[in-house]
Each structure stands twice: as structure tokens, then as C-alpha cells.
Amino acid sequence: LLKKIKEPIVINFYYSRNLANGIPIIQNHSNLVRGILEKYSSISNEKIIFNEINLEPYSQKEDEANRLGLEGFPIDQEGNTLYFGASISNSVDEMESIKFFDPSRAGELEKKITNIIYKLNNPEKPKIKIAENIAITPINLSGTDLNIA
């Protein structure tokens, strides 16, 4: 799948690195996410463009993450919010987002990312045509050795 990507796919990984410093489970999971995204980019012969965006509180990049539908996780009483998600887009401006990379769902991570990449790599929906007025000839099965249970 990754080697057959036709048009570039851009993955913007939004991560509040500085806010995550005191949260080991998020730091470990971010290493896993980053590793998968970098590997996907490499396997795709750079058809997947991976960008990591370090979010700072109250910045334009944080506003951008909000506009894209990413969910922040409040981490303190000062109102600081940890972002840990991604926007994934293709060359025809279709976009999917992963609102938050939940560490408890690490086993589903590759499947989720791969499904989004597949969907964005194949933006044209399959077309189904309905045939009308087709004459169907019944098949006579009497006298055969066919057992129908």
C-alpha cells in the first residue's frame, strides 16, 4: 500500500512536546507514533510527507490544531492543554484527522493510520451500475448429485 501511493500525502503530527515532558506514558507513545510515521514516509519513497509540529500554549499552531478538530487534553490548573494528534491530507485537499493518539489504543495505531492513508490515496469512490430488465434463465437442478442443505 505505501509503495503504491500515487499523489503526495501530508501528515502533520501536532505534539505539545514541552508540556509532555512530565508525562512518561505520552512521551513513550509519541516515540511510537513518530517512529511509525517516519517509517511510513521512508517506505513510501517520500510520497508521505511527515511534519512534526511542536505546539506551544496559546500559539497560532495551537489555534490551527483546534481548527482542524484536534482535541487538547488539559494538564494543569493554569489552562495548559496538551495536543497529541495529526491531520492527514492528500493533493486534492481531502483531510482526515486523528484527534488524539490515545496510548491505551496503541494496538490499533498502525491500522488506523493505514486506513486513512488508503482512503486518501483512493479518493474516487467506486461506481456501481444497476442493470435493469435482465432476463434470468432458471437452472434446473433436478436429477443432479447436488446436495443442498
Side-chain angles (χ1 to χ4, degrees), residues 1-2 4-12 47-49 86-98 112-125:
L1 170 76
L2 297 174
K4 295 179 182 179
I5 293 177
K6 302 167 196 162
E7 300 286 330
I9 292 178
V10 177
I11 301 176
N12 289 322
K47 286 285 190 173
I48 293 176
I49 300 161
S87 70
I88 306 171
S89 59
N90 62 13
S91 60
V92 293
D93 294 330
E94 291 182 320
M95 198 263 311
E96 296 278 329
S97 64
I98 298 174
K112 185 172 194 159
I113 294 169
T114 303
N115 285 341
I116 291 172
I117 290 170
Y118 176 82
K119 182 178 178 183
L120 293 173
N121 190 45
N122 300 288
E124 192 170 306
K125 305 281 186 250

Side-chain angles (χ1 to χ4, degrees), residues 14 29 73 95 107 118 122 139-140:
Y14 293 87
H29 195 54
F73 186 80
M95 198 263 311
Y118 176 82
N122 300 288
I139 301 172
N140 184 0

Side-chain angles (χ1 to χ4, degrees), residues 41-78:
S41 179
S42 175
I43 291 171
S44 73
N45 294 319
E46 308 303 319
K47 286 285 190 173
I48 293 176
I49 300 161
F50 170 62
N51 301 309
E52 183 171 347
I53 300 166
N54 182 19
L55 296 181
E56 294 293 334
Y58 311 106
S59 67
Q60 288 181 340
K61 292 295 183 184
E62 186 179 63
D63 292 342
E64 179 180 309
N66 279 317
R67 279 192 308 274
L68 293 170
L70 303 185
E71 293 178 356
F73 186 80
I75 60 166
D76 59 27
Q77 293 181 351
E78 286 84 41

Side-chain angles (χ1 to χ4, degrees), residues 9-27:
I9 292 178
V10 177
I11 301 176
N12 289 322
F13 173 46
Y14 293 87
Y15 180 49
S16 305
R17 180 186 302 259
N18 295 336
L19 293 176
N21 278 338
I23 310 170
I25 192 166
I26 297 292
Q27 287 178 309

Side-chain angles (χ1 to χ4, degrees), residues 31-44:
N31 290 334
L32 174 67
V33 170
R34 186 180 301 104
I36 288 171
L37 297 177
E38 287 173 347
K39 184 176 181 180
Y40 276 30
S41 179
S42 175
I43 291 171
S44 73

